[in-house]
Amino acid sequence: MDNVVELNNVTKQFKDFSVTDLNLQVKRGFVHGFIGANGAGKSTTIKMMMNLLKPDAGDVKVFGLDYKSHEKEIKERIGFVYDGNVFFEGMNLKDIKRIVAPAYKHWDDDVFKKYIDQFELPLNKSIKRFSKGMQMKASLAIALSHHAELIIMDEPTAGLDPIFRRELLELLQEIMIDGNRTIFFSTHITTDLDRIADYIAFINKGQLIFNKTIHEVSESYAIVKGRKELLDRDTEKAFVNIHQSSVGFEALTDDLAGAENTFGDSAVIERATLEDIMYYMKGGMQHV
Amino acid sequence: MFNLIRRDVILQKRLLMLFIPCLLFLIIMDANPAFIFLFASIYIPFNTYAYDEKTETNILLNSLPYTRNEIIASRYLGALVYMVLAVAITSLILLLFNRSFTIIDIALSIGLFLLFVAIALPLFYIFKPGYISPILMFSFIFLAIIGPRIVSFAADHLTVVTNFLINLSNPILYTGSALAALTVYGASWGFTTFVYKYKAL
């Protein structure tokens, strides 16, 4: 199984924030969800994948190539969708296409027309008068019209209504039928992922916590609820983070089997949702 | 690369429609031909820079299959292309309106244009977006008003320099200034390429 994107020991330092020693592989042919709280480092990571930011240390490889000598070849094969509108505001879609299309060797006008029809996008209306959903569709139509192998999206579902979010996810599924495609997208709406993601990468405070299949995640993470007496120095080791109240505790473990072993029937053990994991991790790793 | 230069025309369709009226206005106002040439040359590049200082534009261009060197090169080459076109169109209109102008007018405006671009362009990539366009617009108008006065003041008072320049033969003077302008332009190009290479977007 080959990797479309590889980040090796990547570090990027900012004044008040840093991404440290990031190792992340994106596998060909799968949908990867990239989750993390606001400010966890999702956009920074994506910008490094797109060579908009250069890492201070470590290397970034896309399609096995590095940006230093293969920047154009790499970007020919990437379709991108960003959170905000990056297209020239006052322009209409027809003119934006006129600017973007010639940049790509493999631009396909028929595919573009197909998506314009499917999304019911007006070609002559100024893009700043588009709704958020329409802007997203427009970016997507452009990203999908040059036979890109890798689609990178930064928060594509942010600010969209639930119905359109679902439509978008269906569309992503549709484009994955072509088995050579890979999608990598960041989101903080974790319910999006249950529907389509094969892999989940989770970043917290600039550090990658895990990059696993969605199956592995649900097999390893769990929420344990029980009485306070169950907690002692030994049992606490099983948890990533513990929330205590006057009567009991709720804690996240990354070792479901181990927790079942330790607590048996004395505690309630539930599958952890991605949101649970994000919520507990936000409190910081607490390996006692 | 050519696409990046052509992009400016698409971006500025509407502003271009104002191009001829602006020129006509200057002609009717009896402006100095050199100033008209200069204004015409700066018109398209300047408006593009106002677009390009926006972060979103830089994110878009850098996400497309272009290298950073190409993006900067397209700015510097594009300025030259549009300058040549602008000078041609302006000459034509001046001829149509029977207004006299000399090669010196054109040479002077080209020299000033190269200097202006060489100084202004790097600023767009060094400073934060939002400030530069108004500052440049203001200083351009300011210089256009004050500039000639400075030159005539200098001509009257710095006789050593003016004598030296007057004593140079015309070919030497022209090639000398052309070379100087191109050197400054090239240096500015190299500098901006360097700055942009390490810019975080």
Side-chain angles (χ1 to χ4, degrees):
Chain A
M1 196 155 26
D2 56 344
N3 295 327
V4 177
V5 183
E6 265 179 59
L7 303 185
N8 298 317
N9 306 315
V10 165
T11 295
K12 180 77 192 173
Q13 201 100 34
F14 295 103
K15 256 183 227 141
D16 45 1
F17 167 75
S18 62
V19 170
T20 38
D21 214 18
L22 191 70
N23 286 289
L24 176 63
Q25 289 84 37
V26 177
K27 295 193 170 55
R28 184 185 297 277
F30 293 98
V31 177
H32 296 253
F34 189 35
I35 60 171
N38 292 326
K42 298 192 297 287
S43 292
T44 305
T45 307
I46 286 188
K47 280 183 172 181
M48 288 194 285
M49 283 183 182
M50 292 297 299
N51 201 30
L52 299 177
L53 278 178
K54 291 196 177 26
D56 300 331
D59 62 84
V60 178
K61 284 216 164 93
V62 186
F63 307 115
L65 306 167
D66 64 359
Y67 272 110
K68 213 166 200 167
S69 39
H70 301 278
E71 173 145 26
K72 293 177 85 162
E73 290 104 301
I74 294 173
K75 285 177 179 168
E76 282 281 353
R77 295 157 71 182
I78 299 181
F80 56 88
V81 173
Y82 297 121
D83 182 7
N85 172 37
V86 293
F87 300 106
F88 309 97
E89 276 204 331
M91 302 183 74
N92 60 34
L93 207 49
K94 204 157 95 193
D95 283 338
I96 290 170
K97 192 208 89 172
R98 265 191 210 146
I99 289 174
V100 172
Y104 291 106
K105 281 189 200 126
H106 304 291
W107 180 269
D108 191 330
D109 249 349
D110 295 334
V111 176
F112 183 70
K113 274 198 197 92
K114 191 196 97 185
Y115 283 119
I116 294 301
D117 290 343
Q118 186 181 337
F119 298 159
E120 298 169 345
L121 290 170
L123 278 171
N124 293 314
K125 187 174 168 179
S126 151
I127 201 157
K128 75 178 162 203
R129 284 166 47 225
F130 277 23
S131 68
K132 179 95 189 172
M134 277 161 74
Q135 281 186 7
M136 173 56 53
K137 284 177 176 169
S139 307
L140 207 57
I142 289 171
L144 296 176
S145 297
H146 58 96
H147 302 289
E149 293 161 50
L150 169 63
I151 313 282
I152 292 183
M153 300 186 285
D154 192 4
E155 301 278 356
T157 54
L160 299 180
D161 65 60
I163 297 163
F164 181 70
R165 281 224 311 276
R166 205 179 265 215
E167 271 174 39
L168 174 72
L169 296 175
E170 268 165 29
L171 178 85
L172 293 182
Q173 252 161 350
E174 205 176 289
I175 64 172
M176 285 303 289
I177 293 171
D178 168 9
N180 212 16
R181 277 229 170 95
T182 309
I183 296 180
F184 183 87
F185 77 106
S186 70
T187 180
H188 55 257
I189 303 168
T190 52
T191 45
D192 292 346
L193 297 170
D194 297 331
R195 246 178 261 279
I196 62 160
D198 303 301
Y199 281 85
I200 308 282
F202 175 40
I203 191 170
N204 191 37
K205 293 179 181 155
Q207 282 185 310
L208 190 76
I209 307 295
F210 62 74
N211 179 23
K212 294 180 170 169
T213 65
I214 201 155
H215 185 68
E216 280 169 345
V217 173
S218 69
E219 289 291 287
S220 46
Y221 283 90
I223 299 287
V224 180
K225 298 176 185 171
R227 282 172 293 110
K228 260 181 140 177
E229 298 87 86
L230 292 172
L231 290 178
D232 57 39
R233 205 171 279 178
D234 280 333
T235 53
E236 275 177 3
K237 276 184 193 154
F239 299 120
V240 175
N241 201 344
I242 304 170
H243 289 186
Q244 298 196 46
S245 67
S246 52
V247 285
F249 75 95
E250 285 186 31
L252 178 76
T253 177
D254 55 3
D255 178 13
L256 173 60
E260 275 169 348
N261 236 337
T262 314
F263 297 102
D265 290 335
S266 59
V268 179
I269 301 178
E270 295 168 349
R271 288 276 152 88
T273 62
L274 291 170
E275 212 172 288
D276 290 331
I277 298 173
M278 277 169 74
Y279 174 68
Y280 279 90
M281 290 284 190
K282 189 101 214 273
M285 297 285 272
Q286 256 186 29
H287 282 296
V288 186
Chain B
M1 177 93 91
F2 170 71
N3 294 320
L4 279 173
I5 297 175
R6 200 184 64 122
R7 171 193 75 125
D8 301 355
V9 179
I10 303 175
L11 267 179
Q12 301 185 41
K13 273 194 302 197
R14 266 183 228 123
L15 276 172
L16 275 178
M17 283 184 244
L18 282 174
F19 180 67
I20 305 282
C22 280
L23 282 187
L24 292 180
F25 175 76
L26 286 175
I27 290 171
I28 292 164
M29 292 302 284
D30 210 19
N32 185 317
F35 177 74
I36 300 179
F37 278 116
L38 180 59
F39 170 83
S41 311
I42 284 177
Y43 193 86
I44 291 186
F46 187 82
N47 282 314
T48 317
Y49 305 157
Y51 263 106
D52 275 5
E53 66 165 337
K54 292 196 178 115
T55 322
E56 296 82 40
T57 308
N58 281 300
I59 288 181
L60 172 66
L61 292 181
N62 277 283
S63 300
L64 293 173
Y66 295 119
T67 63
R68 293 194 178 196
N69 290 350
E70 283 177 330
I71 292 169
I72 297 301
S74 77
R75 299 295 69 161
Y76 279 86
L77 290 176
L80 295 181
V81 171
Y82 289 115
M83 177 194 77
V84 170
L85 289 176
V87 166
I89 293 171
T90 312
S91 308
L92 200 69
I93 294 180
L94 285 173
L95 283 174
L96 281 176
F97 278 77
N98 229 350
R99 287 283 308 273
S100 64
F101 63 95
T102 58
I103 288 293
I104 309 272
D105 291 326
I106 296 179
L108 190 65
S109 71
I110 289 179
L112 284 175
F113 170 76
L114 291 181
L115 206 61
F116 181 77
V117 173
I119 294 168
L121 205 39
L123 298 180
F124 281 97
Y125 295 98
I126 296 172
F127 291 112
K128 276 209 176 114
Y131 298 103
I132 301 115
S133 306
I135 292 175
L136 281 182
M137 192 111 71
F138 185 76
S139 42
F140 174 72
I141 294 168
F142 181 75
L143 271 181
I145 296 165
I146 295 293
R149 280 179 208 176
I150 294 176
V151 172
S152 58
F153 177 84
D156 291 343
H157 293 84
L158 299 170
T159 38
V160 185
V161 180
T162 40
N163 279 340
F164 170 73
L165 289 176
I166 285 167
N167 287 334
L168 285 176
S169 67
N170 276 351
I172 292 182
L173 184 64
Y174 292 149
T175 22
S177 0
L179 278 179
L182 284 176
T183 311
V184 173
Y185 198 72
S188 163
W189 183 343
F191 176 72
T192 310
T193 305
F194 177 77
V195 168
Y196 196 55
K197 195 168 203 153
Y198 297 99
K199 195 179 164 87
L201 297 171

